[in-house]
Amino acid sequence: MIGFWTLIKRETMRFFQVPNNTILPVLVSTALYFIIFGVALGERISTGSPEEYLIFLIPGLIMMNMISGAFSNPSGSLFVSRLLGYINDVLLSSLSYKEIVSAYIIGGVIRGIVLGIITWITGLFFATVGIHHLGWFLLYSILTCVVFACLGILIGLYAERNDTLNIPRNFVITPLVFLGGVFYSLEVIPETLRQITLYNPLFYMINGLRYSMTGTAEASIWLGAILLIALSTVLILLCTYLFKIGWKLRS
Amino acid sequence: MYAIEITGLTKKYGSFTAVNNLSLSIPKGMFYGLLGPNGAGKSSTIHCITGLANITQGTIKVLGKDVVTDYQEARKLVGLSQQDIHIDPYFTMDQVLVYQAGYFGIPAGEAKKRAEKLLKQFGVWEKRNEIYRKLSGGMKRKVEIAKALIHKPKILILDEPTAGLDVQTRKDLWEFIREQNKQGLTVILTTHYLEEAEALCEKIGIITEGKLHIEANTQELKKQHKNKKLEEIFLSLTEKKQ
Ligand SMILES: Nc1ncnc2c1ncn2[C@@H]1O[C@H](COP(=O)(O)OP(=O)(O)O)[C@@H](O)[C@H]1O
Ligand SMILES: [Mg+2]
């Protein structure tokens, strides 16, 4: 157990040690989103009152920052330690593959949750959103972080160059998050976009977290939960298998 | 039971065979020299023992523990000082050791004590709060070896540890390692300094092109070759092969 905790500590420490690089930017961008979309444009992109729109927006932004944090922690850490070779410290140790994978995932989840909480606190300056249903809230926030931490592990293992590391983030995750209903409800968008949105897995994750906080949902909560459980199970198994065979880790 | 027992080891990188059906047994407590020209497959063999490389074929046991099926136990028994040193650039030397001990399940308090002892032993205690980049080549090597010893392994593998070290540093290092060997530590050494191997190793194995070319007791080998220097013997043996 000590070995496992040591690796978790290592995985989370860097994040807390350089708050100027990891926490402050999130704080600033989140505040900007609230000001631009919530305060300035809110009335034009929503049917309800500005207050209602801010309440709608907050869970979406929480999800966005959680996803980004959960993904970047393991992807960055694995990539750099592979590049510089000090991943060998872990490979030479008596940690089991399961412990190693779990520690990287937990590192990602912790970073995701911390960023989510920071977003929430920032949001409190604009509108008050609490928790409507704790069970769903925990399930959606934690499993979403698990899914993206696993994706971060996959990219952290796969990438040979720094730019590869950012491709999935810039070209897949961010678009899917933005088009997944962070900023708008299905009601206000054209029919075609609405149909497309229903195929976006991120929509169901954002929808689920929004339900757990505000009590209103635009799609089935169960569907999102099943999707998350299925995705996280498959991804955890895949990551563990890749560590076991030493994919991109052992020569 | 052997400290290291390699049976029919083959290591391929793609279609290239770096280690070719190698079998090798190293008894407990021995100071063993693994010699051979550049690219012979020494590091590849070592990486197969320590889990840095996947075994293509064959088995390796460390004090009876299979390095694949019983890898966690096997890893505890071995410490490796790598040929190329890789250390987290943001960690201080103290942290490097304490974290490494932590991965092996050693509590922080005990890890700190061991780190202090090793850093003092190697004369780099004043550098405990420095990061890797601020260290000289010799100091880096000392920290790498301290890292290999932090979990008190039964077997220490030193992959070209003295490349680039000055005479005094080498002498100190060997004094320390020799002392550890006397206390029961099995030591496996690869080096290009053959005088070093001659002076330190009870037994040597010479690898060429991924195969064990010759294995002999150092003194007997010298006797067989009319007390020539190991360097000359090595050259005549490895030349014949080519
Ligand atoms: N990761 C790797 N990928 C491909 N080839 C490798 C790799 N590591 C070593 N080799 C090749 O395997 C051979 C043996 O290398 P190595 O075991 O490092 O030799 P030694 O340590 O005896 O100098 C060399 O030809 C080397 O180029
Ligand atoms: Mg080598």
Side-chain angles (χ1 to χ4, degrees):
Chain A
M1 260 338 232
I2 292 176
F4 179 55
W5 287 112
T6 307
L7 190 54
I8 292 178
K9 187 175 153 204
R10 189 210 173 101
E11 281 304 290
T12 40
M13 180 200 68
R14 186 81 28 90
F15 165 70
F16 289 106
Q17 270 183 351
V18 282
N20 287 354
N21 297 333
T22 52
I23 295 176
L24 208 60
V26 177
L27 213 71
V28 172
S29 66
T30 306
L32 282 173
Y33 279 126
F34 281 126
I35 293 167
I36 295 167
F37 288 98
V39 181
L41 298 173
E43 267 175 277
R44 293 182 212 175
I45 42 181
S46 124
T47 47
S49 68
E51 172 79 6
E52 278 170 334
Y53 179 68
L54 277 167
I55 289 171
F56 175 89
L57 182 63
I58 287 171
L61 288 181
I62 290 177
M63 204 56 153
M64 186 170 91
N65 288 333
M66 279 203 307
I67 286 172
S68 152
F71 178 82
S72 49
N73 208 62
S75 65
S77 157
L78 267 173
F79 173 72
V80 175
S81 62
R82 275 177 58 240
L83 186 80
L84 299 182
Y86 62 82
I87 186 74
N88 286 2
D89 289 355
V90 174
L91 299 179
L92 289 168
S93 79
S94 60
L95 286 165
S96 74
Y97 306 128
K98 282 181 191 159
E99 285 173 319
I100 299 173
V101 171
S102 316
Y104 279 106
I105 293 175
I106 291 171
V109 171
I110 291 175
R111 175 144 161 194
I113 298 290
V114 168
L115 291 188
I117 291 171
I118 289 173
T119 311
W120 196 354
I121 294 171
T122 315
L124 288 176
F125 288 98
F126 298 87
T128 313
V129 187
I131 290 177
H132 172 72
H133 191 299
L134 184 65
W136 284 124
F137 177 78
L138 292 176
L139 182 132
Y140 268 94
S141 51
I142 293 172
L143 285 190
T144 304
C145 287
V146 169
V147 165
F148 283 90
C150 287
L151 292 173
I153 290 177
L154 295 181
I155 293 301
L157 288 178
Y158 173 76
E160 295 296 338
R161 292 153 51 109
N162 202 10
D163 36 0
T164 320
L165 205 60
N166 294 320
I167 287 173
R169 183 206 200 89
N170 295 338
F171 296 101
V172 183
I173 297 178
T174 305
L176 285 180
V177 169
F178 275 49
L179 296 173
V182 170
F183 298 104
Y184 48 72
S185 115
L186 285 185
E187 279 174 39
V188 301
I189 54 174
E191 180 60 23
T192 355
L193 188 54
R194 188 180 321 165
Q195 289 304 323
I196 296 171
T197 304
L198 292 176
Y199 288 97
N200 180 352
L202 274 291
F203 166 71
Y204 295 93
M205 301 180 192
I206 294 165
N207 175 65
L209 190 80
R210 186 172 285 136
Y211 171 78
S212 78
M213 297 184 78
T214 65
T216 53
E218 297 184 290
S220 161
I221 298 303
W222 284 96
L223 189 62
I226 291 167
L227 179 78
L228 272 177
I229 292 169
L231 268 178
S232 49
T233 310
V234 170
L235 286 169
I236 288 172
L237 291 176
L238 177 63
C239 289
T240 311
Y241 172 72
L242 292 178
F243 267 83
K244 186 161 187 262
I245 64 166
W247 186 64
K248 299 279 206 149
L249 287 168
R250 274 179 270 149
S251 51
Chain B
M1 196 183 6
Y2 287 103
I4 305 267
E5 192 176 4
I6 301 174
T7 318
L9 176 70
T10 295
K11 173 61 196 170
K12 290 187 178 184
Y13 299 105
S15 60
F16 175 77
T17 305
V19 181
N20 192 352
N21 196 18
L22 177 95
S23 295
L24 188 70
S25 299
I26 300 172
K28 273 193 258 183
M30 183 164 271
F31 206 128
Y32 191 96
L34 199 57
L35 309 179
N38 280 328
K42 304 179 296 294
S43 294
S44 298
T45 305
I46 288 168
H47 291 169
C48 287
I49 299 172
T50 52
L52 295 183
N54 281 322
I55 294 172
T56 310
Q57 220 168 42
T59 55
I60 301 176
K61 283 189 174 151
V62 173
L63 291 164
K65 311 280 186 203
D66 188 289
V67 301
V68 176
T69 56
D70 207 358
Y71 68 96
Q72 286 184 275
E73 286 306 310
R75 304 271 193 272
K76 283 182 196 159
L77 299 168
V78 184
L80 169 65
S81 159
Q82 300 172 71
Q83 184 176 339
D84 304 311
I85 306 173
H86 317 279
I87 285 177
D88 186 324
Y90 296 103
F91 272 174
T92 63
M93 295 307 104
D94 207 14
Q95 283 176 313
V96 167
L97 297 184
V98 172
Y99 269 88
Q100 193 62 22
Y103 298 152
F104 282 95
I106 298 158
E110 169 69 15
K112 281 189 186 122
K113 270 187 232 155
R114 288 193 195 181
E116 177 173 346
K117 198 167 164 224
L118 283 166
L119 289 172
K120 282 182 174 161
Q121 175 68 53
F122 284 108
V124 282
W125 176 242
E126 322 78 66
K127 300 287 173 184
R128 64 189 174 279
N129 294 323
E130 294 284 10
I131 56 167
Y132 182 65
R133 239 174 350 102
K134 302 268 173 81
L135 267 61
S136 73
M139 291 167 180
K140 287 174 181 169
R141 179 54 68 185
K142 288 169 178 174
V143 172
E144 173 72 7
I145 297 174
K147 183 152 72 77
L149 289 168
I150 194 85
H151 60 289
K152 299 196 170 157
K154 299 268 184 285
I155 299 158
L156 176 66
I157 305 180
L158 301 166
D159 196 353
E160 297 193 23
T162 45
L165 296 193
D166 63 42
V167 185
Q168 187 59 44
T169 312
R170 269 196 266 167
K171 206 171 143 266
D172 294 348
L173 176 65
W174 292 132
E175 210 166 288
F176 173 72
I177 301 291
R178 219 180 211 154
E179 184 52 38
Q180 298 291 309
N181 176 245
K182 274 195 196 120
Q183 289 169 19
L185 182 73
T186 307
V187 181
I188 299 164
L189 165 71
T190 83
T191 178
H192 287 290
Y193 298 99
L194 294 174
E195 329 82 78
E196 228 167 58
E198 186 174 336
L200 292 162
C201 302
E202 275 169 75
K203 203 172 175 183
I204 56 163
I206 298 178
I207 297 184
T208 50
E209 293 167 0
K211 287 190 178 131
L212 186 61
H213 185 59
I214 198 161
E215 190 185 40
N217 189 297
T218 316
Q219 292 315 316
E220 279 168 23
L221 188 70
K222 286 194 67 179
K223 248 182 235 160
Q224 280 170 18
H225 290 81
K226 301 171 196 135
N227 270 330
K228 273 196 272 186
K229 278 196 166 175
L230 188 57
E231 186 154 324
E232 293 168 49
I233 304 171
F234 177 84
L235 284 173
S236 69
L237 286 173
T238 49
E239 257 166 28
K240 232 184 275 170
K241 184 79 207 253
Q242 280 154 6

